Amino acid sequence: MFAPLVDARRSGDPQILPLDLPGFGAEPLRETSIATLAQHLAAEAAHLSDSIIDTIVSLEGNLTAEDAYFSGTAADYDDAVSFRVAFLERLHEMAKPNRIIEGYAERVSRADPGALWSLGRDARQYSQTSHPGERLRSAGNVLYVLNPANCPENSLNWLKTSGLTKVELDGASHWPTIDQPSKVLLALRS
């Protein structure tokens, strides 16, 4: 999903280090949750002693409970396999008019079903008891990249008063790293 962004990168651009998260390309963890994946990312960042992470870039990441409209549906299923089957069916239907979703569906099909289900359930629960946008804002220097047409109204309203630096990419899909990598890089350069 980040290959076009890495390919479009020029000399002097910020360093981009895409990682395969456990259960989503890398070997699954014993337990998958927002917290365990955050711990994994922190450990990976600690290994990059010659690199300083000074900005978190959120590509239409969850700001409010309404943002968990894909992954959060995992909570509606009693087991990982039935969720994965239903999720892939939904993605394949959406992919008919949209080739980017076809690529996303292909990557989802390679994810560990248990990790996919556990993370989705955790995302919904976390979003209902906490405010993901507040947590993101407290994490430091954040750049939020979005196409307003892709975002729920509650998230857009929160974003207006959040103080987060945001870049709007009109016409972008949920995966602007694929369909607008040059514009994402331009946002990162500023």
Side-chain angles (χ1 to χ4, degrees):
M1 302 304 283
F2 291 92
L5 188 63
V6 173
D7 293 344
R9 189 177 170 273
R10 298 187 319 225
S11 176
D13 279 347
Q15 189 175 13
I16 299 166
L17 300 169
L19 298 172
D20 284 330
L21 293 175
F24 303 92
E27 198 63 34
L29 298 171
R30 190 173 51 81
E31 176 192 341
T32 301
S33 67
I34 294 168
T36 60
L37 291 178
Q39 290 168 352
H40 173 79
L41 286 173
E44 289 296 315
H47 288 105
L48 305 172
S49 59
D50 62 338
S51 175
I52 297 172
I53 298 173
D54 61 9
T55 303
I56 296 170
V57 179
S58 180
L59 303 172
E60 292 185 8
N62 292 8
L63 297 174
T64 64
E66 289 79 11
D67 281 318
Y69 50 85
F70 260 169
S71 58
T73 60
D76 298 333
Y77 294 85
D78 293 330
D79 63 272
V81 174
S82 61
F83 168 64
R84 182 172 181 258
V85 167
F87 191 40
L88 286 171
E89 285 174 0
R90 183 175 165 202
L91 290 174
H92 287 303
E93 189 62 34
M94 293 172 67
K96 290 177 182 175
N98 188 331
R99 305 240 344 129
I100 290 174
I101 293 180
E102 184 178 303
Y104 177 63
E106 192 274 325
R107 283 157 183 85
V108 167
S109 72
R110 290 190 267 161
D112 176 75
L116 187 67
W117 184 60
S118 295
L119 182 60
R121 291 167 57 92
D122 193 46
R124 180 183 279 174
Q125 179 184 2
Y126 180 82
S127 295
Q128 291 177 342
T129 59
S130 302
H131 196 293
E134 295 293 337
R135 180 65 183 229
L136 180 64
R137 183 171 53 190
S138 71
N141 187 29
V142 175
L143 175 65
Y144 192 80
V145 180
L146 73 147
N147 174 357
N150 297 337
C151 299
E153 192 66 30
N154 281 355
S155 295
L156 292 174
N157 289 337
W158 181 84
L159 200 53
K160 286 178 189 175
T161 61
S162 70
L164 287 181
T165 303
K166 62 183 181 292
V167 173
E168 293 185 9
L169 300 178
D170 291 332
S173 72
H174 288 287
W175 298 276
T177 56
I178 294 175
D179 64 355
Q180 295 193 11
S182 297
K183 288 184 179 180
V184 173
L185 282 171
L186 186 62
L188 294 176
R189 288 180 195 128
S190 56

